[in-house]
């Protein structure tokens, strides 16, 4: 089978697209081609309806109300914790904490587990391809504690140099935090291998699943990661909600993150005792509507044939990489062997931002710049990339339009040399 054959997918994209109303929108009068899925995915109608349904029919604060609406809202909210448990295959729903997103999950762990366990002279290990949200919280922690932030380097293709790992993990390493799938390069990192090596020295591993959760089937028990985080908005759910998974024995030892209602067991002016996990980490009224809608997004994903959906994404990736690489003046950035459906590229002598603006006039939404991964750009000595990130609802015809308009953008934007 040819890597460029666009008709090999058995996945019914046309049918799936009907679930996403925004895909019928126009941008600048042209049919919208949405290739900014790594920034945020679009939402199926059922997710949009779940939010409106909650506010229209059973909006109430949860857990402390005896009335009908509060009971209904509480049950709907509590159900989602079980759905996430099932979705990630965690041992218990107690291991699932609702947070605003991946960024908050990392900050939570850095501020609690990190503050408790990382001391002067210790080391925190991350990788060269982290999103800023998996760099800055650890950097803040290291600055506060006098610890050192160390980095697993990557090669020119955007793959981690795993041979360095044995030198980078030392007796001083207190936690390792790695991105599962790079948002800029699409690289799928060998996190399982990192976890095995870390655990051999008793070091816990945090996996940033912001991109991997929608592009793979996650099994935290199989991975044996100690922490895992994802953002709802990147996997068909709403913004402002995400989850932190943590092994119960670690969560239990960690001090609370924020103080307030719900996270307590008893409060007096002399002393407060804390609620059990996961509630210890969920101070205040939670994002009830979006938790419920996240549950619907999970239902949506789980009722799909994910093997087919992921195979379709993979074919889109191969097809796009093949055709883009054939255009003179295009350089692909991130050519790891194990990749999710993210294509980054630069154009010779053309600014990524200008190309992005050009594609926008054709209705094509791509992202340009450093994608919150400035160290990757520094490592590759480029200011930024044009990034097209695909999800299962994208089509080969949309990729054809991208390829066509990238070629036209080069002709249109190319500097005229004297
Ligand atoms: N990690 C990765 C790999 C990401 O791609 C992102 C967002 O793009 C984040 C973390 C942060 O996610 P959020 O902004 O939803 O907290």
């Amino acid at each position: 089978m040819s890597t460029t054959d666009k008709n090999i997918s058995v996945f019914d994209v046309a049918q799936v697209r009907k679930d996403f109303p925004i895909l019928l929108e126009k941008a600048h009068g042209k049919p919208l081609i949405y290739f900014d899925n790594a920034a945020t995915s679009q939402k199926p109608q059922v997710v949009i309806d779940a939010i409106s349904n909650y506010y229209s029919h059973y909006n109430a604060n949860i857990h402390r109300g005896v009335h009908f609406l509060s009971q209904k809202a509480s049950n709907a909210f509590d159900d989602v914790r079980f759905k996430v448990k099932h979705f990630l295959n965690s041992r218990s729903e107690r291991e699932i904490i609702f947070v605003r997103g991946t960024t908050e999950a990392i900050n939570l762990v850095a501020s609690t587990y990190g503050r408790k366990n990382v001391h002067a002279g210790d080391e925190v290990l991350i990788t060269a391809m982290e999103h800023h949200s998996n760099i800055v919280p650890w950097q803040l922690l290291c600055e506060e504690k006098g610890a050192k932030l160390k980095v697993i380097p990557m090669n020119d293709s955007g793959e981690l140099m795993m041979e360095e790992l044995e030198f980078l993990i030392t007796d001083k390493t207190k936690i390792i935090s790695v991105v599962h799938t790079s948002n800029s390069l699409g690289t799928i990192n060998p996190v399982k291998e990192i976890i095995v090596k870390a655990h051999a020295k008793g070091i816990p591993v945090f996996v940033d699943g912001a991109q991997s959760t929608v592009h793979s089937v996650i099994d935290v028990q199989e991975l044996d990661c100690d922490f895992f985080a994802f953002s709802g908005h990147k996997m068909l759910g709403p913004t402002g909600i995400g989850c932190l998974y943590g092994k119960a024995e670690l969560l239990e030892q960690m001090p609370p993150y924020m103080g307030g209602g719900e996270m307590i067991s008893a409060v007096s002016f002399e002393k407060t005792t804390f609620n059990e996990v996961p509630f210890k980490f969920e101070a205040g009224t939670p994002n009830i509507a979006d938790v419920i809608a996240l549950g619907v997004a999970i239902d949506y994903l789980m009722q799909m044939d994910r093997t087919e959906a992921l195979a379709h994404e993979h074919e889109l990736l191969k097809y796009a990489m093949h055709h883009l690489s054939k255009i003179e003046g295009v350089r692909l950035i991130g050519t790891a062997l194990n990749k999710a459906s993210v294509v980054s590229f630069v154009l010779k002598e053309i600014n990524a931002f200008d190309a992005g603006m050009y594609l926008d006039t054709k209705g094509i939404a791509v992202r340009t710049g450093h994608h919150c991964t400035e160290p990757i750009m520094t490592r590759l000595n480029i200011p930024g990339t044009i990034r097209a990130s695909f999800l299962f609802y994208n089509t080969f015809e949309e990729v054809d339009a991208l390829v066509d308009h990238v070629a036209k953008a080069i002709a249109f934007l190319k500097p005229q040399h004297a």
Side-chain angles (χ1 to χ4, degrees):
M1 212 178 286
S2 148
T3 55
T4 57
D5 186 341
K6 63 168 103 158
N7 293 317
I8 52 176
S9 175
V10 289
F11 185 63
D12 192 349
V13 192
Q15 189 60 35
V16 163
R17 285 177 71 86
K18 290 185 189 153
D19 296 336
F20 293 80
I22 209 167
L23 298 179
L24 292 174
E25 289 294 310
K26 295 213 149 105
H28 306 297
K30 312 270 173 8
L32 170 71
I33 297 182
Y34 188 75
F35 284 156
D36 198 16
N37 294 290
T40 198
S41 74
Q42 296 302 347
K43 324 299 173 200
Q45 188 65 51
V46 281
V47 168
I48 301 166
D49 289 347
I51 297 171
S52 149
N53 191 35
Y54 164 75
Y55 284 120
S56 306
H57 298 294
Y58 60 106
N59 170 48
N61 210 333
I62 55 167
H63 294 159
R64 290 179 295 277
V66 289
H67 58 82
F68 178 80
L69 287 189
S70 180
Q71 297 285 327
K72 188 167 173 179
S74 301
N75 290 340
F77 179 94
D78 293 341
D79 277 355
V80 180
R81 212 183 294 277
F82 288 91
K83 284 182 188 175
V84 179
K85 166 198 179 282
H86 189 46
F87 183 60
L88 298 181
N89 192 31
S90 69
R91 277 163 223 85
S92 158
E93 69 288 352
R94 295 174 61 243
E95 300 183 310
I96 306 300
I97 298 162
F98 291 119
V99 287
R100 280 190 297 142
T102 308
T103 304
E104 188 174 43
I106 299 167
N107 276 279
L108 189 159
V109 175
S111 308
T112 56
Y113 184 89
R115 277 224 181 97
K116 188 169 174 196
N117 294 291
V118 176
H119 304 291
D122 287 341
E123 294 168 359
V124 173
L125 185 58
I126 59 171
T127 81
M129 62 181 87
E130 300 306 328
H131 188 277
H132 294 166
S133 62
N134 201 23
I135 301 173
V136 184
W138 302 113
Q139 218 160 33
L140 290 170
L141 174 72
C142 288
E143 272 167 23
E144 180 186 318
K145 295 291 190 162
K148 190 169 176 202
L149 189 65
K150 289 173 76 175
V151 180
I152 308 171
M154 67 174 202
N155 63 23
D156 292 342
S157 310
E159 290 165 322
L160 290 181
M161 296 167 72
M162 292 294 286
E163 64 278 14
E164 301 284 322
L165 198 56
E166 60 179 296
F167 308 109
L168 288 165
I169 299 181
T170 72
D171 293 344
K172 295 176 186 161
T173 313
K174 287 295 174 314
I175 186 162
I176 301 178
S177 192
V178 290
V179 65
H180 200 175
T181 299
S182 159
N183 61 307
S184 301
L185 307 171
T187 310
I188 301 171
N189 284 319
V191 286
K192 177 81 194 167
E193 194 182 329
I194 296 174
I195 291 165
V196 168
K197 293 208 163 109
H199 285 180
K201 298 210 167 174
I203 303 162
V205 179
F206 188 119
V207 175
D208 169 354
Q211 297 295 334
S212 60
T213 308
V214 77
H215 293 303
S216 52
V217 175
I218 303 295
D219 182 335
V220 290
Q221 290 192 66
E222 206 274 318
L223 273 179
D224 198 25
C225 53
D226 301 276
F227 300 102
F228 184 94
F230 70 86
S231 300
H233 71 97
K234 293 189 196 283
M235 42 150 299
L236 318 185
T239 50
I241 190 67
C243 290
L244 167 68
Y245 155 83
K247 283 184 179 162
E249 58 271 28
L250 292 176
L251 295 178
E252 268 151 19
Q253 289 162 24
M254 282 155 52
Y257 180 44
M258 288 195 282
E262 194 83 353
M263 53 77 73
I264 53 88
S265 167
V267 179
S268 73
F269 288 118
E270 288 70 40
K271 185 167 173 58
T272 293
T273 51
F274 302 119
N275 206 339
E276 55 196 31
V277 296
F279 309 108
K280 181 170 76 173
F281 297 105
E282 293 180 357
T285 299
N287 186 351
I288 304 164
D290 293 323
V291 165
I292 292 169
L294 175 68
V296 176
I298 289 174
D299 288 342
Y300 185 93
L301 277 173
M302 291 188 76
Q303 56 79 39
M304 290 180 86
D305 185 332
R306 294 203 69 201
T307 309
E308 274 185 16
L310 296 174
H312 172 68
E313 288 179 6
H314 194 67
E315 291 306 323
L316 287 175
L317 171 73
K318 279 200 295 183
Y319 186 70
M321 293 204 21
H322 177 80
H323 287 284
L324 284 170
S325 67
K326 291 229 160 331
I327 303 174
E328 197 175 326
V330 171
R331 178 157 68 98
L332 296 178
I333 302 293
T335 49
L337 284 178
N338 200 7
K339 244 178 91 93
S341 51
V342 174
V343 184
S344 260
F345 54 98
V346 291
L347 304 181
K348 194 175 171 195
E349 296 188 304
I350 295 171
N351 184 290
F353 179 77
D354 293 341
M357 295 282 283
Y358 178 91
L359 293 172
D360 178 56
T361 64
K362 310 299 173 196
I364 303 175
V366 292
R367 186 148 292 240
T368 61
H370 56 58
H371 319 298
C372 292
T373 54
E374 277 196 74
I376 292 184
M377 305 304 147
T378 308
R379 163 67 183 78
L380 298 175
N381 203 18
I382 49 175
T385 74
I386 303 157
R387 180 187 74 185
S389 48
F390 313 128
L391 206 57
F392 52 75
Y393 47 58
N394 288 124
T395 67
F396 291 100
E397 289 70 25
E398 289 179 318
V399 175
D400 286 338
L402 173 73
V403 171
D404 182 36
H405 287 298
V406 166
K408 288 181 177 146
I410 293 174
F412 186 75
L413 298 169
K414 200 163 62 182
Q416 305 298 318
H417 294 297

